[in-house]
């Protein structure tokens, strides 16, 4: 039996956070899997996750909310977490059917640069289009 492919959730999450109207003024479009600058930015890291069924996956992500100041990082993390709760729905190749935040707004300034940063862990439940 062949099962449908699960969607590319990494790119869907980047695209989603990059285009949310409440976030764009805070991060200026700097969202990706690599840290893009010294300005406010969002970095997403895939942490793996479970796949309880061939037609369902539960990927987890670390989302880092970087700011030039503590206030910028805090504002971005609060707006970003609010946006994550609204990610449910269709994405290219499938749909997101569940979201949870096992870790919310962990204050974690960068050890090397001292730049302000908050960390969120988000778990998504996804299904391919055909399921």
């Amino acid at each position: 039996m062949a099962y449908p492919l699960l969607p590319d959730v990494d790119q869907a999450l980047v695209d989603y956070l990059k285009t949310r109207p409440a976030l764009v003024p805070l991060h200026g479009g700097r969202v990706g899997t690599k840290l893009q600058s010294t300005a406010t930015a969002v970095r997403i890291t895939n942490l793996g996750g479970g796949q309880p069924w061939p037609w369902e996956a539960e990927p987890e992500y670390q989302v880092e909310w970087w700011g030039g100041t503590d206030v910028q990082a805090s504002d971005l993390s609060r707006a970003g977490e609010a946006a994550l709760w609204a990610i449910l729905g269709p994405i290219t190749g499938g749909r997101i059917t569940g979201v949870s935040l096992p870790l919310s707004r962990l204050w974690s300034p960068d050890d090397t640069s001292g730049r302000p940063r908050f960390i969120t862990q988000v778990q998504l439940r996804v299904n391919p289009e055909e399921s």
Side-chain angles (χ1 to χ4, degrees):
M1 170 180 269
Y3 291 101
L5 292 177
L6 289 162
D8 181 352
V9 183
D10 293 18
Q11 190 61 50
L13 185 56
V14 168
D15 293 344
Y16 177 80
L17 292 174
K18 190 177 274 190
T19 60
R20 300 311 306 165
L23 296 178
V24 172
L26 299 172
H27 61 50
R30 292 175 296 276
V31 178
T33 57
K34 294 181 172 46
L35 192 57
Q36 298 183 13
S37 72
T38 58
T40 56
V42 180
R43 178 170 54 187
I44 297 163
T45 304
N46 187 324
L47 302 176
Q51 187 174 352
W53 304 100
W55 55 86
E56 182 177 277
E58 297 174 340
E60 295 191 30
Y61 293 88
Q62 176 174 296
V63 182
E64 298 173 38
W65 315 99
W66 292 80
T69 67
D70 294 1
V71 171
Q72 288 173 331
S74 179
D75 289 349
L76 184 56
S77 70
R78 289 184 301 109
E81 285 192 1
L84 285 171
W85 287 107
I87 196 170
L88 298 173
I91 60 173
T92 301
R95 66 185 179 278
I96 296 175
T97 59
V99 61
S100 67
L101 302 181
L103 179 66
S104 174
R105 298 192 73 238
L106 172 67
W107 172 243
S108 181
D110 182 55
D111 291 335
T112 304
S113 68
R115 283 186 60 202
R117 166 182 69 176
F118 283 88
I119 296 175
T120 299
Q121 184 177 342
V122 60
Q123 182 182 45
L124 304 172
R125 186 173 51 250
V126 300
N127 303 97
E129 287 175 340
E130 293 83 16
S131 66

